[in-house]
Amino acid sequence: MARTTIATLAAKKRAGEKWVMLTCYDHVTASVFEDTGVPVLLVGDSAANNFLGEENTVPVTVDELIPLARAVVRGSKRALVVADLPFGSYEVSKEQALETGIRFLKEAKAQAVKVEGGVRVIDQIRALVTYGIPVMGHLGMTPQSVNAFGGFKVQGRGDAAETIIEDAQALQEAGCFAIVLELIPAELASRIRSEVSIPVIGIGAGADCDAQVLVWTDLMGLTEKAPRFARAYRDLRGEMSGAVKEWMDDVATGRFPNEAETFH
């Protein structure tokens, strides 16, 4: 079966069909999510704090993300795989953005990239799109700017709303196929959705978006303290902890391995 394409997502927008995007950083979880039919997998720079143990997304590098993206591509067949361009890999120039984007498509075989920012990175986005690299935008609380924002805070309240609207329009005009809206008022997200023709993907942006994205460890209850906008649909942290403790006890008491698990 063919992978989801940017044309597929555009058609979903026209049809009013909502969909989801889920972060993913490895082959095993990619294969699990693939079986569910999730249409888009995001190899996010959130791998920094959710997979590599960093405080936030800023430290992760291209060389760290490419193997993760390649693993996700290998673990999936139908999902569109989008890879984040990490902080410091596209801001300097159009040429730098192109070099990074090309690496993700050639080395990781991702089908698209995601770039944070609006008008300030329009030249980079135009260059990527011109040379055949699909780009997903990202506005609102852009995690790579966490130090400038002074923490993870809601963006776009009051007069700042107009700036985000202008950025969204600029991203569409530059050729982005979709825009992530993170941590903005629901009313603003709804307005942006109505003013652009490309899909808007919410995370902490209310229900009136074309799609929703979550970090998979938040969704599964693995994150110790998940953000307010996330919902844990399972308690995998508790399940995994319980399984390890049971196994430890079975080993200590001689119940593991049993006869069926032993070779003669």
Side-chain angles (χ1 to χ4, degrees), residues 52-66:
L52 300 174
E54 300 287 358
E55 183 179 355
N56 53 49
T57 68
V58 175
V60 75
T61 67
V62 172
D63 288 339
E64 288 173 321
L65 283 182
I66 283 180

Side-chain angles (χ1 to χ4, degrees), residues 100-218:
T100 305
I102 288 169
R103 286 194 65 191
F104 273 104
L105 264 64
K106 285 184 70 69
E107 297 178 36
K109 300 182 181 178
Q111 294 91 52
V113 300
K114 182 165 74 63
V115 176
E116 292 187 6
V119 172
R120 61 185 172 86
V121 291
I122 285 300
D123 289 342
Q124 289 91 324
I125 290 171
R126 284 201 181 105
L128 289 162
V129 172
T130 296
Y131 286 93
I133 301 174
V135 178
M136 177 181 287
H138 188 153
L139 298 173
M141 175 59 226
T142 46
Q144 292 175 14
S145 301
V146 63
N147 292 316
F149 290 143
F152 289 89
K153 302 176 180 179
V154 174
Q155 304 296 311
R157 286 180 170 142
D159 294 340
E162 294 304 318
T163 299
I164 294 180
I165 292 170
E166 291 170 5
D167 280 338
Q169 292 168 338
L171 290 180
Q172 174 174 270
E173 291 168 7
C176 284
F177 70 88
I179 304 171
V180 171
L181 299 175
E182 181 168 356
L183 265 183
I184 67 171
E187 297 80 7
L188 175 57
S190 180
R191 181 178 168 189
I192 291 172
R193 182 193 185 197
S194 67
E195 293 191 14
V196 300
S197 60
I198 58 177
V200 295
I201 306 162
I203 178 165
D208 194 19
C209 294
D210 300 297
Q212 296 288 332
V213 57
L214 279 179
V215 171
W216 86 264
T217 50
D218 292 343

Side-chain angles (χ1 to χ4, degrees), residues 63-86:
D63 288 339
E64 288 173 321
L65 283 182
I66 283 180
L68 305 186
R70 186 164 56 237
V72 171
V73 171
R74 288 173 175 168
S76 60
K77 293 181 175 64
R78 294 175 296 175
L80 174 74
V81 179
V82 182
D84 263 330
L85 297 193

